[in-house]
Amino acid sequence: MQVDITNLGGRIIRLMIPDKDNHLRDVVLGFNRAEDYLPDNNPSDFGAIIGRYANRLAKGRISVDGVTYQLPQNNGPNCLHGGPMGWQYAIFHVEEATSNRIVLTLTSPDGDNGFPGCVQVRVVYSLENNSLRVDYHAESDRTTVINMTNHSYFNLGQTSDEPLCHDILDHMLRIDADRYTPVDETSIPLGDHMPVEGTPFDFRAAKAIGDDINSDNEQLHIGRGYDHNYVLNHPSLDAPSVTLSCAATGISMDIYTDAPGVQLYTGNFLNGVCGKQGTRYPVHSAVCLETQQYPDSPNRHWLESTGYLHASEPYHTSTIYKFTTL
């Protein structure tokens, strides 16, 4: 396997995986050149490191040590993925680069996109045994909030020379989660997590993504498909919490993570943007599986996922994407 990374947003721009015929396939959406990712060219989160806070913060507000901070409101009334100029557009410093490892660092100053505290960030990408591992590290000089993830758009069945990207509705997906997080019309959590049992959100046994995506379900109507947090039953780097596979190519991806949640997003707002080799990316042409703290955690005070980072307290989370053939 092979991964190509740019220090513009720490983005994965190409991820080449052998299929069942041992032909390398690029399994992530994106663009041909690093400059194509600039916000003035193609504003997107394709493959990016997301920070300071992944997912949504209600009304773009957080309270830290009794002080309320107003953040950018770039997703309706809410702050999404750190704001319109979050870390997905930051230039990371390349601290180390070898044949199977790259270390990226970033200083996010106090007040960056409205967030308090100066945060030192370190992200390590490493390849080993057909796995891509991502280790996220951060420290702050004062209390702040943080939630880091990678926003790759996966399609395990695509070839780069086709003019239109195939959808991922036939991909089989398993998520080890008994509960998910229902949202309001602005995609902010309504309250408690809810059982997946008896709903279209039940992926505890592998099923095709498209099996229930068009169900008459209010939550699916709100997101125009799946765009919801799953509460992982057993987050671990020793056993996979998520499995995605494509029978056509024989490629299977297991995701191991110590993060408490994963956001399932089925490319509901892809609009035919022109990507690699002129390929168009229409709706549902990729699936994102963003390992994360729960959305809006700092404002919800879920004990198991607060989203706060205190001064001199190390933040660390890891995710492993392991590839095999069926």
Side-chain angles (χ1 to χ4, degrees), residues 116-195:
C118 179
V119 176
Q120 303 296 330
V121 180
R122 187 171 184 263
V123 179
V124 182
Y125 287 107
S126 54
L127 290 179
E128 185 176 355
N129 298 326
N130 279 337
S131 296
L132 173 63
R133 176 171 176 144
V134 191
D135 293 294
Y136 307 90
H137 308 264
E139 288 189 1
S140 179
D141 64 354
R142 56 186 289 200
T143 302
T144 188
V145 298
I146 194 161
N147 185 19
M148 296 175 65
T149 192
N150 178 273
H151 209 303
S152 285
Y153 283 67
F154 292 101
N155 186 318
L156 306 185
Q158 179 62 15
T159 60
S160 60
D161 56 355
E162 294 179 287
L164 188 68
C165 192
H166 296 296
D167 65 48
I168 45 76
L169 300 181
D170 64 347
H171 283 35
M172 299 295 290
L173 178 64
R174 180 194 66 86
I175 304 176
D176 181 25
D178 294 334
R179 296 176 297 156
Y180 80 106
T181 309
V183 295
D184 66 17
E185 64 278 2
T186 71
S187 294
I188 290 296
L190 288 169
D192 293 336
H193 309 301
M194 298 297 292

Side-chain angles (χ1 to χ4, degrees), residues 210-226:
D211 278 358
D212 297 317
I213 199 169
N214 293 316
S215 299
D216 186 11
N217 177 279
E218 182 181 6
Q219 286 296 304
L220 291 174
H221 295 328
I222 288 172
R224 292 166 53 175
Y226 295 103

Side-chain angles (χ1 to χ4, degrees), residues 179 193 231-232 258-261 292-294 297 301-307:
R179 296 176 297 156
H193 309 301
V231 180
L232 297 178
D258 55 15
Q292 61 175 7
Q293 300 289 316
Y294 305 143
S297 281
H301 305 294
W302 279 309
L303 295 178
E304 68 267 41
S305 175
T306 67

Side-chain angles (χ1 to χ4, degrees), residues 15-21 23-27 155-158 171-172 243-254 322-326:
L15 184 55
M16 306 297 292
I17 304 298
D19 65 13
K20 61 185 179 182
D21 299 317
H23 297 143
L24 287 175
R25 288 179 180 261
D26 188 0
V27 298
N155 186 318
L156 306 185
Q158 179 62 15
H171 283 35
M172 299 295 290
T243 300
L244 180 72
S245 64
C246 174
T249 60
I251 296 175
S252 181
M253 178 178 72
D254 286 323
K322 184 174 179 60
F323 294 89
T324 56
T325 52
L326 300 173

Side-chain angles (χ1 to χ4, degrees), residues 27-31 37 46 153-155 165 270 276 281 285-286:
V27 298
V28 294
L29 272 55
F31 303 109
Y37 291 88
F46 286 159
Y153 283 67
F154 292 101
N155 186 318
C165 192
L270 290 173
K276 299 171 186 174
Y281 299 148
S285 55

